Amino acid sequence: LSHIPADIGPLKKSFYGTLGHSQTEPGTTIAASDSRWSEWLNKWRSRIGVGNTDQEPFAGHRSQKDISTRMKLVNPKYTLREWLVVPAYQQAAAGDYSLVREIQAVMTQPYAEQSKDIEQKYYRLKPPAYFHLGGVSHYSCSS
């Protein structure tokens, strides 16, 4: 959202609905889900004052670029996910620390835009095989 998209297109890679694991009510179609997300995005853009000509009630008179920059300062793009970390631990137990070092390098800059390779590997949806397993989405602050 920090890129403040005009429509849900750029956000759709974050939606689980296309995998048969919709975050919406059971029986909701992907088209209906997209419609709800579009409605939400329009309300959110209006609330932060992007895309409307009225006074910006919550964002003050900041530019879209300023709003985006501020969001990126407090919302990390990369977070630890157990389904990525466990293989690194397993490789390390066998003497190969390369994946641990790679994850460490990514997580030292969680707010930064990193290479396309890193984005494809670490900024993606949880694989469907892990949907019904506990503790594989994100580490909590108590982890």
Side-chain angles (χ1 to χ4, degrees), residues 2 5 7 19 23 32 39-40 48 58 80 97 99 105 112 117 122-123 128:
S2 61
D7 60 56
L19 297 174
Q23 297 291 335
E39 183 179 327
W40 176 87
I48 66 169
F58 296 98
L80 285 176
Y97 294 89
L99 192 51
D117 289 340
Y122 293 101
Y123 188 68

Side-chain angles (χ1 to χ4, degrees), residues 4-73:
I4 311 177
D7 60 56
I8 65 166
L11 304 176
K12 289 185 79 151
K13 74 177 184 178
S14 299
F15 295 178
Y16 283 103
T18 57
L19 297 174
H21 302 284
S22 178
Q23 297 291 335
T24 61
E25 299 168 18
T28 302
T29 65
I30 291 174
S33 179
D34 286 359
S35 177
R36 286 183 178 175
W37 275 112
S38 293
E39 183 179 327
W40 176 87
L41 180 62
N42 289 334
K43 285 179 184 177
W44 178 75
R45 287 175 52 83
S46 178
R47 186 173 183 115
I48 66 169
V50 173
N52 78 36
T53 56
D54 299 334
Q55 183 176 3
E56 299 172 358
F58 296 98
H61 291 285
R62 294 177 292 166
S63 69
Q64 183 170 331
K65 181 179 179 185
D66 183 50
I67 293 167
S68 177
T69 299
R70 288 175 181 264
M71 287 177 72
K72 289 177 184 177
L73 291 174

Side-chain angles (χ1 to χ4, degrees), residues 65-138:
K65 181 179 179 185
D66 183 50
I67 293 167
S68 177
T69 299
R70 288 175 181 264
M71 287 177 72
K72 289 177 184 177
L73 291 174
V74 296
N75 296 298
K77 179 170 184 171
Y78 300 98
T79 59
L80 285 176
R81 293 173 170 93
E82 189 170 2
W83 52 271
L84 290 170
V85 175
V86 169
Y89 289 153
Q90 291 169 336
Q91 287 181 13
D96 179 358
Y97 294 89
S98 60
L99 192 51
V100 169
R101 289 185 189 108
E102 180 178 285
I103 291 172
Q104 181 181 17
V106 171
M107 294 306 151
T108 60
Q109 301 180 66
Y111 299 90
E113 292 295 331
Q114 299 189 38
S115 73
K116 285 293 179 191
D117 289 340
I118 293 297
E119 182 172 335
Q120 288 176 347
K121 189 170 184 178
Y122 293 101
Y123 188 68
R124 61 189 176 99
L125 297 174
K126 175 176 48 176
Y130 299 129
F131 265 84
H132 301 291
L133 299 176
V136 294
S137 288
H138 289 54

